Amino acid sequence: MLIGVRSGTERPAPSPARRTPPITTSTAPSDDTDGAPEATDDAPDRRRFLTYLLAAPTLTVAARLGLDAAAPATAQAAVRAAAATRATAQEASAPVQLLGLPGIPDLLDLGDALILAGLPTSHLLVLELTTTGRAVLRLPRLEVGQGLTTAVAMLVADELDARLGDVDVPLSDGRPELLFNQLTGASNSVRSLYDPVRAAAAAARARLVTAAANRWNLPADTLRTAESAVTAPDGRRAGYGELAADAATIAVPAVPATPKPADRLRLVGRPTGRIDARDMVTGRAKYAGDLAIPGAVPTVVARPTTINGTLRSLDATAARAMPGVLGIVQIPSGVAVLAETFDQALKARNALVTTWNPGPVAGLSDADIRDRLRAAHAPFIIPPLLTQYVDGEFDFAFVNHAPMEVLTAVADVRPNRAELWFAAQTPIVAQQTIAAELGLPQDAVTVHVVRGGGSFGRRLFFDAALEAAQISKAAGRPVKLMWTRNDDMRHGRMRPASHHRVRATFALGQVLSYEHRAATVKTDMRHGLGEALTAAGFNLSLAGLSLNQVFFLLSEKNPYNVGLPTQLLAEVPLDVHTGSWRSVYSGTVRVADEIMMDELARRMGQDAVAFRRTRLRSAAGRAVLDTVATAGNWGRPMPPGQAQGIGYHDENGGRAAYLVELDATDPANPRVTRAVIAADLGQVVNPRGLEAQLTGALIDGISVILQAGNHIDNGAVREGSYADFHYARQRHTPPVVEIHLMPPSGPPGGAGELGVPAASAAVANAYARATGTSPRSFPINF
């Protein structure tokens, strides 16, 4: 297959003799939907039906009609049960191996914490059924190509017994009342929405059935639902649209309002294409740059020559006289040029005569930053006395997010209000921050969330929207601001550079201790959990730990029995723009760990897969590793200069293993020629969407290990576009990709970030085997 440039509970496994074969699929793209009919939030006489969710599986159906009796189970209990399941699933794989200590994420991971944080406002999720028969769920998350809206539509359609084509999932505007429930990140969207969405749709179905039973004077339990309609035993049929108004008057349904058991699901688990595929290929799908907001004029910004530099002098005389130029205004980050077209704005920007003061890191380059990172490490605790040991040091470069769609935002700021349109992973904190910047009350700022063409963590920050608001206020007119690729590459956000020191001691076939010291340029997490309270908290500390450290502790663990494990994070504050990049800390921490596992296996005279298998604490993890090793024919003979590599990762309630084959006969131009992927994410909603996620992670791994990174030269980013930021192209990607999904069991895990560490490690380990070297700096060809 060909792949293009990027666009955008633990459980024991069955014994091998009885294990159900995994679902084997091939990769394919998946995406989202937009553009559903506008909905209004009014009384039942507006002929619509609203379902409000309190906390799955505790359910209340409202629409200003009263409340059901609360179910005894709560989402808090569900999270506790999931954590307990993960904890009990940690087991020694063989009695001869020393038991490793479980990590904090084995008991409570970041996704669990986010779900718990969102419980107080989860009742504000809304499912609407219109009189035209449309089921509309306004999604409090951002679609950036990960296929979330398709997955949510499938959940609604399955529980409601509606046709998939009758379900709309538009993106919700910024809703500050949601607090922690409008953050898109941490591979948590499907994981946190799975039960609430299903419960809401099941409650709606129960009321529709009750309304039909009342209309026909029949027992409700004799009626059936299918194809967006209720059917009676005698053949009478009423569409959901016909029943919506009556259903809105039902306070207590006559049939149970509980989600279906797994064996009655007809859509969930079935490979499904994007519900908006036609819109995507016909251009009906709208991004921020496509919006025709009245009066909004094309705008670009001239920026400093170094990171965070400031304007010293400006002569805009020539630029102001150029055709189409409508205005030139200064903002804190640069000089904005407004024009009738983007072409005119860009040409006028180039005509500005500017000088810039150097930024705060103007004297620093890559080598200086590496020195600072290496100096930040705490010493190892355990000296290698009377034991053998393996030490490893690893450097990872800055990496740009580089989504295909560059940052674009539309802003219309008036004296007493502001309205913005942009792709926002954190719309609440964006609204709060922009309101404060403009001197407006928060409720005077409206944030319309628009789909994004890729993100990988980039749209957690809203740099372009803040600038657009500043420019619109200064110019006194609406603007459509576009960052060029060069703008984002050199002044946008990057995965921080990091340096890692690892020491593992071993004796008598046992790994006795494993110490990992990670030093990174500080990751900017001032977006918090998506609203102002935690955004402010990321500048503070909690029990002596920064909230970055809390994030690290809730997400990082070593999945193997390696004696006494320790992991420490040291962050070096530098005034550069950083941000969470796909997999955040795991994208470097776990890659270094997996490289070390290969090196430990070699030193201890064991096969790399067997070494991992006997030490994995999770039976489900061993099943994934077995699947990928068998399907990939691990250990098969390879020609000189070619080799296989393996990588495994366990996070966000899921686990994945990657096996790649790499041809390094030309070490300067290595290519992955084959990839085999196995993943266990519990219940998979849309296998096709999961395939796309796992394949995208593979391409990320190829890129950041072999060739894609950013250099810092005297305080400036060297790379400016895809021409010199060498993200993988089609010629770098494997012609053969196999994906094996383990049989569904348990709730969904998080998929968006799971594959990157395993894929990256597999590529690094394959390169080491193919070349006989042990690469320590990534990307290798940098």
Side-chain angles (χ1 to χ4, degrees), residues 20 238 616 641 752:
T20 305
L616 271 171

Side-chain angles (χ1 to χ4, degrees), residues 203-224:
R205 172 169 41 85
R207 280 152 178 76
L208 290 164
V209 169
T210 303
N214 292 344
R215 175 179 295 188
W216 296 329
N217 196 26
L218 292 172
D221 60 3
T222 66
L223 307 183
R224 297 292 178 263

Side-chain angles (χ1 to χ4, degrees), residues 303-313 330 332-334 355-360:
R303 303 182 186 279
T305 52
T306 57
I307 298 169
N308 286 326
T310 56
L311 185 66
R312 179 184 301 169
S313 67
Q330 185 177 343
S333 53
T355 58
W356 302 91
N357 297 311

